[in-house]
């Protein structure tokens, strides 16, 4: 039990420091190339902080633990929307830009509804096939490409006030790698520690996936969002 507690605490420390590194480097790159910080958040930061969910869900699915895989996804989405946004707003009021309100948030709702329809009404209730998985990936690729195109196009016609200290590119890349590594390993150790503690207390796998695992894999988003909000 003590080993799980140590993993839990050390993993949380790595997650917070990794989020700090990632936020600083991503903002520095955005300032250097005058790229919208929203685009950086939607790509580099979101991919990096979502890696723990990807790893945990993929490994769980390959091991035949579908409850852990889907429970982690659903629980993480709920944690992201409710807990992370709520906690971040407590630290600093969140100002949503027009594009986020009119495009990204509605797309998020539509995608969630699409997943619901696929699981409940397509190819058998409670089953997500490879074809449906490929469809979700195609939708994601289209959305990502459109977002990058719109952001780069708008950046040419606007003079976004991006200020602050910029670090050398080699240092920014190094810190991004270190930050992502800290997030991945920290998230993995955090989940192992939390799951071990919960299992020792006799909690079922589905409950662990929907609560501790999903919260643990979402901690990078929580740390990154709070730190980003506090740094403006």
């Amino acid at each position: 039990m003590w080993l799980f507690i140590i993993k839990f605490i050390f993993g949380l420390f790595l997650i917070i420091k990794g989020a700090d590194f990632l936020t600083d480097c991503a903002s520095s790159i955005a300032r250097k190339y005058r790229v919208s910080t929203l685009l950086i958040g939607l790509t580099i930061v979101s991919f990096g902080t979502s890696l723990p969910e990807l790893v945990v869900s993929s490994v769980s699915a390959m091991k035949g633990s579908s409850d852990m895989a889907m429970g982690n996804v659903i629980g993480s989405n709920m944690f992201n929307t409710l807990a992370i946004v709520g906690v971040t707003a407590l630290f600093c009021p969140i100002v949503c830009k027009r594009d986020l309100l009119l495009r990204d948030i509605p797309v998020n709702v539509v995608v969630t509804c699409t997943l619901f329809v696929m699981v409940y009404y397509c190819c058998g209730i409670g089953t997500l096939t490879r074809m449906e998985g490929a469809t979700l990936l195609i939708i994601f690729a289209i959305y990502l490409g459109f977002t990058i195109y719109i952001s780069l196009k708008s950046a040419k016609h606007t003079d976004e006030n991006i200020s602050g200290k910029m670090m050398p590119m080699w240092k920014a890349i190094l810190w991004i790698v270190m930050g992502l590594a800290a997030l991945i390993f920290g998230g993995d150790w955090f989940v192992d520690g939390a799951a071990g503690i919960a299992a020792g207390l006799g909690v079922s796998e589905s409950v662990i996936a929907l609560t501790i695992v999903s919260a643990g894999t979402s901690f990078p988003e929580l740390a990154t969002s709070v730190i980003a909000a506090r740094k403006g």
Side-chain angles (χ1 to χ4, degrees), residues 22-42:
L22 196 60
T23 302
D24 286 341
C25 297
S27 298
S28 178
I29 292 175
R31 289 192 295 269
K32 182 177 181 63
Y33 291 101
R34 304 200 64 79
V35 176
S36 168
T37 52
L38 175 61
L39 175 60
I40 296 295
L42 287 170

Side-chain angles (χ1 to χ4, degrees), residues 77 81 100-119 135-136 139-140 143:
N77 285 340
T81 304
L100 197 65
L101 291 173
L102 299 182
R103 183 188 66 216
D104 300 309
I105 292 179
V107 167
N108 187 27
V109 175
V110 170
V111 168
T112 302
C113 294
T114 301
L115 178 61
F116 174 83
V117 172
M118 285 183 173
V119 172
T135 301
L136 292 174
I139 295 173
F140 171 72
Y143 165 73

Side-chain angles (χ1 to χ4, degrees), residues 210-229:
L210 286 168
T211 55
I212 296 178
V213 173
S214 61
T217 56
S218 295
F219 252 83
E221 285 95 333
L222 175 60
T224 302
S225 296
V226 170
I227 292 171

Side-chain angles (χ1 to χ4, degrees), residues 59-162:
V59 172
S60 299
M62 288 187 289
K63 290 183 177 180
S65 181
S66 57
D67 284 346
M68 181 71 75
M70 286 301 294
N72 179 40
V73 173
I74 302 302
S76 295
N77 285 340
M78 294 179 63
F79 192 84
N80 288 343
T81 304
L82 301 176
I84 294 179
V85 174
V87 171
T88 304
L90 288 178
F91 278 90
C92 180
I94 303 174
V95 179
C96 295
K97 293 186 177 181
R98 185 173 181 271
D99 290 342
L100 197 65
L101 291 173
L102 299 182
R103 183 188 66 216
D104 300 309
I105 292 179
V107 167
N108 187 27
V109 175
V110 170
V111 168
T112 302
C113 294
T114 301
L115 178 61
F116 174 83
V117 172
M118 285 183 173
V119 172
Y120 278 87
Y121 297 103
C122 300
C123 301
I125 297 178
T127 302
L128 193 66
T129 64
R130 289 186 175 89
M131 182 63 68
E132 292 169 334
T135 301
L136 292 174
L137 287 175
I138 292 173
I139 295 173
F140 171 72
I142 293 173
Y143 165 73
L144 180 62
F146 176 76
T147 301
I148 293 175
Y149 170 77
I150 292 298
S151 181
L152 294 178
K153 183 179 179 181
S154 61
K156 296 178 181 179
H157 301 286
T158 60
D159 185 20
E160 185 178 358
N161 184 21
I162 303 177

